[in-house]
Amino acid sequence: MKNSLSQRTINRLTQYHTILRDYSKKGIENITSALISQYLKIDETQVRKDLKSINCKGKCKVGYVVSELKEIIEDVLDYKITKRAYVIGAGNLGTALSKYSKFDEFGLKIEALFDTDIKKIGQNIDNKPIYDLKDISQIIKKTGVNIAILTLPNKVAQSVTDELVIAGIKYIWNFAPTILTVPDGIKVWNENLIGSFLQFCAIEDIK
Amino acid sequence: MKNSLSQRTINRLTQYHTILRDYSKKGIENITSALISQYLKIDETQVRKDLKSINCKGKCKVGYVVSELKEIIEDVLDYKITKRAYVIGAGNLGTALSKYSKFDEFGLKIEALFDTDIKKIGQNIDNKPIYDLKDISQIIKKTGVNIAILTLPNKVAQSVTDELVIAGIKYIWNFAPTILTVPDGIKVWNENLIGSFLQFCAIEDIK
């Protein structure tokens, strides 16, 4: 199912999920598409269209059942399929991502961090061990983890990427603002924070 | 000009810019749309279409002049217009964003951080002072900064947002995975990292 959804729909569904989780924690049972659209400042027809596309139908005036809708979104987005990953670079960003609560809810399980700093190696972040980067190849052989979240400075991002590829990493979520060169078959997703901010500026005409 | 571009085009332009910056640093003078499309694994016709939309024309076989194209993208995306912002929360994520090299290049100037932790207040991160959150209203009155980058835990995100709004913040780039309620006229952009990752999963069929 997930593969038939557009990227933008997937993105919006996770945002609906954030609202649903908040509502669920507060014990609120129902939510309307109007309310979702107000929170996210998007068109209500868009919300209804998205929810219809995952076979979720609201009731007139009552809206959607929070727990049901939350579960359907989680199912559609494969949250039960655990996606095991390593964070490469136990700096501020790597640490922040390792603690990011929303990842677990969608099955992204950060199992460990890797660094070259001997002061960091052997420590833990949120019960996730920090290993020596030079051991990654050996560790991957045992664990089979093939997703790396790269949070390194630009100047070492490419050389470490080369090591990761040799070690068996297949998917790289790259937070370094540089473009990585990888062999065919290795997939890179460039996280683009400034692009995201500039979209905000364009929409809201921030000057 | 920026306002006539779609959000996705803006996003791609910043990614082209990352490549151009890397090339520029290496002293490489020309780049083809084919090469850009290879780096980003997107369609070459898309690259050409985007660059044509900002009035950039490549030469057959030679491609685009790196320095020219880089400058045009910067101009189109208003990099010269400084967007002054405060980071709210001097934790790992706030610290990482305060050090993020790509922001400055597009005019996003983080001028200071705010926190409530007395151990952090008075310190500096990359020459940016950490102030006491209780002083923000007073400081904003002097500086006129109206953009806040929120990197707080969910449980305090809403109450601090209420304070920010009273203090004069108009635009909030929210990294907390929770939905903020704000009065009319205040704009929130929810950064959605898990949404981004799930898009990657969908495209590459990561399981």
Side-chain angles (χ1 to χ4, degrees):
Chain A
M1 169 112 199
K2 193 177 67 178
N3 298 344
S4 67
L5 299 170
S6 79
Q7 286 184 53
R8 302 178 90 168
T9 307
I10 290 173
N11 202 311
R12 281 192 302 270
L13 287 175
T14 59
Q15 296 205 290
Y16 305 160
H17 183 272
T18 301
I19 301 173
L20 295 164
R21 189 186 53 164
D22 286 359
Y23 265 58
S24 177
K25 277 185 188 160
K26 287 177 190 159
I28 304 171
E29 284 175 17
N30 295 293
I31 191 162
T32 61
S33 52
L35 210 49
I36 295 176
S37 78
Q38 269 173 39
Y39 278 124
L40 298 174
K41 317 264 185 245
I42 56 175
D43 199 53
E44 192 186 336
T45 50
Q46 181 68 67
V47 176
R48 275 208 290 265
K49 204 177 136 194
D50 288 338
L51 297 183
K52 209 179 157 194
S53 76
I54 58 168
N55 299 321
C56 229
K57 279 170 201 153
K59 275 181 199 155
C60 194
K61 288 187 183 167
V62 180
Y64 301 85
V65 177
V66 169
S67 59
E68 270 178 33
L69 185 50
K70 181 168 170 284
E71 211 168 294
I72 290 172
I73 292 177
E74 288 170 351
D75 269 350
V76 164
L77 297 181
D78 289 341
Y79 83 114
K80 279 180 190 152
I81 298 173
T82 303
K83 295 158 280 279
R84 300 154 69 211
Y86 290 145
V87 164
I88 315 300
N92 287 304
L93 185 58
T95 302
L97 295 177
S98 300
K99 292 175 172 177
Y100 200 67
S101 63
K102 192 89 190 165
F103 288 164
D104 259 340
E105 289 172 41
F106 280 99
L108 172 56
K109 194 166 179 305
I110 294 172
E111 299 203 338
L113 297 88
F114 286 84
D115 209 292
T116 54
D117 182 347
I118 50 163
K119 276 179 247 152
K120 291 177 181 168
I121 295 163
Q123 307 271 334
N124 283 279
I125 292 168
D126 256 13
N127 292 320
K128 296 163 183 114
I130 304 174
Y131 293 130
D132 192 335
L133 188 61
K134 75 173 167 47
D135 297 331
I136 194 165
S137 178
Q138 202 181 326
I139 291 171
I140 284 179
K141 266 187 203 126
K142 283 184 209 153
T143 62
V145 170
N146 62 10
I147 303 172
I149 303 173
L150 198 70
T151 65
L152 294 169
N154 278 351
K155 59 178 187 251
V156 294
Q158 183 61 55
S159 62
V160 172
T161 296
D162 297 343
E163 287 178 56
L164 295 176
V165 170
I166 291 167
I169 289 293
K170 301 283 178 225
Y171 304 99
I172 299 172
W173 187 9
N174 174 34
F175 280 81
T178 188
I179 300 297
L180 304 171
T181 308
V182 291
D184 283 349
I186 308 296
K187 306 294 181 180
V188 176
W189 180 259
N190 293 302
E191 190 60 46
N192 185 15
L193 293 173
I194 188 63
S196 173
F197 178 73
L198 290 175
Q199 288 174 44
F200 183 30
C201 291
I203 292 171
E204 305 298 354
D205 205 18
I206 300 177
K207 274 169 192 162
Chain B
M1 168 118 199
K2 193 178 66 178
N3 299 343
S4 67
L5 299 170
S6 80
Q7 287 184 54
R8 303 178 88 169
T9 308
I10 290 173
N11 203 311
R12 283 192 300 270
L13 287 176
T14 59
Q15 297 205 290
Y16 304 160
H17 183 271
T18 301
I19 301 173
L20 295 164
R21 190 186 50 164
D22 286 359
Y23 265 57
S24 176
K25 276 185 188 160
K26 286 178 192 161
I28 304 171
E29 284 175 17
N30 295 294
I31 192 163
T32 61
S33 53
L35 210 50
I36 295 176
S37 77
Q38 270 174 39
Y39 278 123
L40 298 174
K41 318 264 182 227
I42 56 175
D43 199 53
E44 192 187 337
T45 51
Q46 180 69 65
V47 177
R48 275 207 291 262
K49 203 176 137 194
D50 288 339
L51 297 184
K52 209 179 157 193
S53 77
I54 57 167
N55 300 320
C56 231
K57 280 170 202 152
K59 278 183 197 153
C60 193
K61 289 187 181 169
V62 180
Y64 301 85
V65 178
V66 168
S67 58
E68 269 178 34
L69 184 51
K70 181 168 171 283
E71 212 168 294
I72 290 171
I73 292 176
E74 289 170 351
D75 269 350
V76 164
L77 297 180
D78 289 342
Y79 83 112
K80 278 181 192 153
I81 298 173
T82 303
K83 297 159 279 282
R84 298 155 69 212
Y86 291 145
V87 164
I88 315 300
N92 287 304
L93 185 57
T95 302
L97 295 177
S98 301
K99 291 176 174 178
Y100 201 66
S101 64
K102 191 89 189 164
F103 289 165
D104 259 342
E105 288 170 43
F106 280 100
L108 172 56
K109 194 165 178 304
I110 295 172
E111 298 203 339
L113 297 88
F114 286 84
D115 209 292
T116 55
D117 182 346
I118 50 162
K119 276 179 248 152
K120 289 177 183 168
I121 295 163
Q123 306 271 331
N124 284 279
I125 291 168
D126 256 14
N127 291 319
K128 295 161 183 120
I130 303 174
Y131 294 129
D132 192 335
L133 187 61
K134 75 173 167 48
D135 297 332
I136 194 165
S137 179
Q138 202 181 327
I139 291 171
I140 285 179
K141 266 188 203 124
K142 282 184 211 154
T143 61
V145 170
N146 62 9
I147 304 172
I149 303 173
L150 199 69
T151 64
L152 294 169
N154 278 352
K155 59 178 187 253
V156 295
Q158 183 62 55
S159 62
V160 172
T161 295
D162 297 343
E163 287 179 55
L164 294 176
V165 170
I166 292 168
I169 288 294
K170 301 283 178 227
Y171 304 99
I172 299 172
W173 188 9
N174 175 34
F175 280 81
T178 188
I179 299 298
L180 304 171
T181 307
V182 291
D184 283 348
I186 309 296
K187 307 294 180 180
V188 176
W189 179 259
N190 292 302
E191 191 59 46
N192 184 15
L193 293 173
I194 188 63
S196 172
F197 179 72
L198 290 174
Q199 288 173 45
F200 183 30
C201 291
I203 293 171
E204 305 298 355
D205 205 18
I206 299 178
K207 274 170 190 161

